[in-house]
Amino acid sequence: MELQNVPAIITGGASGLGEGAARILAAAGAKVVLLDLQIEKAEKLAAELGGLAIQCNVSDAESAKQALAQSLEALGPCGIAVSCAGIGTAGRILGKDGPMDLDVFSKTINVNLIGTFNILRLAAEQMQQRTPNADGERGIVINTASIAAFEGQIGQAAYSASKGGVVAMTLPAARELARFGIRVNTIAPGLFKTPMMEGMPQDVQDALAAGLPFPPRLGHPEEFGQLVKHMVENPIMNGETVRLDSAVRLQPK
């Protein structure tokens, strides 16, 4: 699929993996739309990239609906949607103070899984309005999971469940939306240099990086963006979840 002048919605686009994807797609000629709760950061980056920033809570149906409607009015139907918005939670099912608070589990599912599905359904509605290319393609949705979907560590039950759900819906979504010429893929990142990671002490970051087989360093958000770009441009990559993790396999803890 061509990138030039195609509206590309990116959730969590103000920082981290979303910013990395936004920079790569904008450089390739896409019209990036950054959806984020951190509207000031999103506006600053959008101004730099010549894009559009819209405040959005992906887990709220009305917020997402209004955000995509605003994007549609400004740029026309999106052809690319990249979901990077998410939260990282940690907590044991049975901790020192008893069982995990169910609200913690619910919030993680609501943001990471339901929020991803929310954007998927709304973006697909816009994509079906686009004129198909020679292959009959109208758009592509790229979701973000995690290697924790496959090797969740102790304390990651909620997070792993949310990301595992993203992986599980990839193939059925791709199969269903194929008749509209819409592809669906997922990226499962490993350890990346994101704001969440940078909030950890440097010695912790160094220890995590040392455990990566190769390269023994944290991934850069732009490297995530490079895979996003490849997925957009490779027309037969569909229904796939791709690990981007330097060959690491998480241990129990």
Side-chain angles (χ1 to χ4, degrees):
M1 181 173 173
E2 293 292 330
L3 281 156
Q4 192 68 37
N5 295 321
V6 174
I9 289 173
I10 304 163
T11 72
S15 62
L17 299 179
E19 179 182 351
R23 289 186 179 280
I24 294 294
L25 294 182
K31 299 177 180 177
V32 295
V33 183
L34 310 180
L35 271 53
D36 208 296
L37 284 172
Q38 303 177 80
I39 189 59
E40 290 184 0
K41 290 184 67 174
E43 288 174 340
K44 182 178 179 181
L45 180 60
E48 178 186 343
L49 301 179
L52 176 66
I54 304 173
Q55 191 167 39
C56 178
N57 177 356
V58 297
S59 64
D60 182 87
E62 189 59 31
S63 176
K65 182 179 179 180
Q66 290 181 5
L68 267 77
Q70 188 175 336
S71 172
L72 176 63
E73 183 178 358
L75 300 173
C78 70
I80 302 164
V82 185
S83 283
C84 295
I87 57 174
T89 55
R92 291 177 179 252
I93 300 168
L94 286 177
K96 295 178 181 178
D97 300 321
M100 176 187 288
D101 187 334
L102 193 58
D103 287 342
V104 173
F105 188 92
S106 296
K107 182 178 181 181
T108 307
I109 297 295
N110 282 335
V111 175
N112 294 353
L113 178 55
I114 295 177
T116 297
F117 178 78
N118 195 17
I119 298 301
L120 167 67
R121 70 187 184 96
L122 295 172
E125 181 184 30
Q126 287 192 16
M127 290 174 184
Q128 69 173 337
Q129 303 172 31
R130 293 177 56 82
T131 301
N133 65 13
D135 276 337
E137 184 176 9
R138 289 185 169 89
I140 179 172
V141 178
I142 300 173
N143 297 323
T144 304
S146 167
I147 56 173
F150 308 104
E151 299 125 22
Q153 296 181 299
I154 292 171
Q156 287 188 322
Y159 184 71
S160 293
S162 69
K163 294 301 188 177
V166 173
V167 171
M169 74 178 178
T170 302
L171 182 59
R175 285 171 163 171
E176 178 181 341
L177 297 177
R179 69 190 183 99
F180 300 109
I182 299 170
R183 293 186 289 127
V184 181
N185 288 304
T186 293
I187 299 174
L191 303 179
F192 274 74
K193 200 169 185 63
T194 62
M196 187 186 305
M197 182 67 71
E198 290 177 330
M200 297 181 180
Q202 189 59 50
D203 60 334
V204 173
Q205 295 184 46
D206 293 342
L208 290 170
L212 297 171
F214 189 83
R217 62 165 174 80
L218 301 176
H220 300 305
E222 288 78 8
E223 292 167 330
F224 174 88
Q226 288 168 5
L227 181 54
V228 168
K229 180 175 181 288
H230 177 76
M231 285 183 167
V232 173
E233 294 178 327
N234 190 330
I236 64 169
M237 183 170 281
N238 192 17
E240 291 295 334
T241 296
V242 179
R243 295 180 66 126
L244 191 64
D245 60 13
S246 303
V248 73
R249 296 297 180 267
L250 299 179
Q251 298 304 306
K253 60 181 178 179

